Structures are given as C-alpha cells and as structure tokens.
Amino acid sequence: LSPGQAFTELQAKVMDTQQKVKLADLQIEQLTKTKKHAHLTDTEVMMLVDETRMYEGVGRMFILQPKGVIHNQLLEKQRIAEEKIKELE
C-alpha cells in the first residue's frame, strides 16, 4: 500500500467507527427513555389499589391484566433496557 492508500483506508475506518459510535449513542438514548418511561409508569401503577382494572395493550386491543402482571412487565422492560445499554457501552 502506498502512504496515500493507507491514509484513505484509515480515514474510511475512522468515519465508519464514528458512525457506529453515533448509532450506539442514539440507541442508548432511546433505551434510557424507554427505561425511564417504564419506571415512571410503574411508579404510578403501584400507587393504585390492587383492585384497579388495568389493561395491557396488545396490537389493537387491550387485555385485562392484574396489577402484579403489569408491574412485572414494567420491571422486565426496565431490566431489558438496562442490559442492552450495558451491551452498547
């Protein structure tokens, strides 16, 4: 390789790496928002009495679910987002 070719290849690798870092940062930002949303929703859900009727959105319909099921789903959503953030960092 000539010095010019080596420089061009190195420059392409740098740009590719920068794009990957930007993409990872965007994904981390989105996952952080998802995690925060799930946490805030769970905080509100846990303040409701256990007999409160709650529904889970599934496609275009809603399914009646007990409070515990909704709580566990929100905790799982937070856990998954946290794991994916750690993978990206």
Side-chain angles (χ1 to χ4, degrees):
L1 287 175
S2 71
Q5 288 174 324
F7 178 75
T8 302
E9 281 185 26
L10 183 58
Q11 191 174 24
K13 286 181 184 178
V14 167
M15 291 185 72
D16 184 51
T17 301
Q18 287 174 337
Q19 287 177 336
K20 287 179 182 175
V21 168
K22 283 181 185 178
L23 179 61
D25 286 344
L26 288 172
Q27 288 174 323
I28 289 171
E29 184 180 333
Q30 184 61 42
L31 288 164
T32 302
K33 286 180 184 179
T34 298
K35 182 180 163 192
K36 184 175 183 178
H37 183 267
H39 174 72
L40 292 172
T41 303
D42 189 46
T43 301
E44 293 296 318
V45 164
M46 294 312 292
M47 287 193 284
L48 300 171
V49 295
D50 289 345
E51 294 76 28
T52 303
R53 294 172 67 89
M54 296 185 196
Y55 296 86
E56 172 190 5
V58 179
R60 289 196 248 165
M61 66 180 176
F62 295 91
I63 298 174
L64 182 63
Q65 293 283 22
K67 180 179 172 181
V69 170
I70 300 291
H71 172 65
N72 289 335
Q73 288 174 348
L74 291 166
L75 290 179
E76 182 68 7
K77 196 173 197 177
Q78 292 175 69
R79 186 189 65 75
I80 290 169
E82 186 63 36
E83 283 180 6
K84 288 181 180 177
I85 288 170
K86 286 179 183 175
E87 288 174 13
L88 290 166
E89 289 178 333

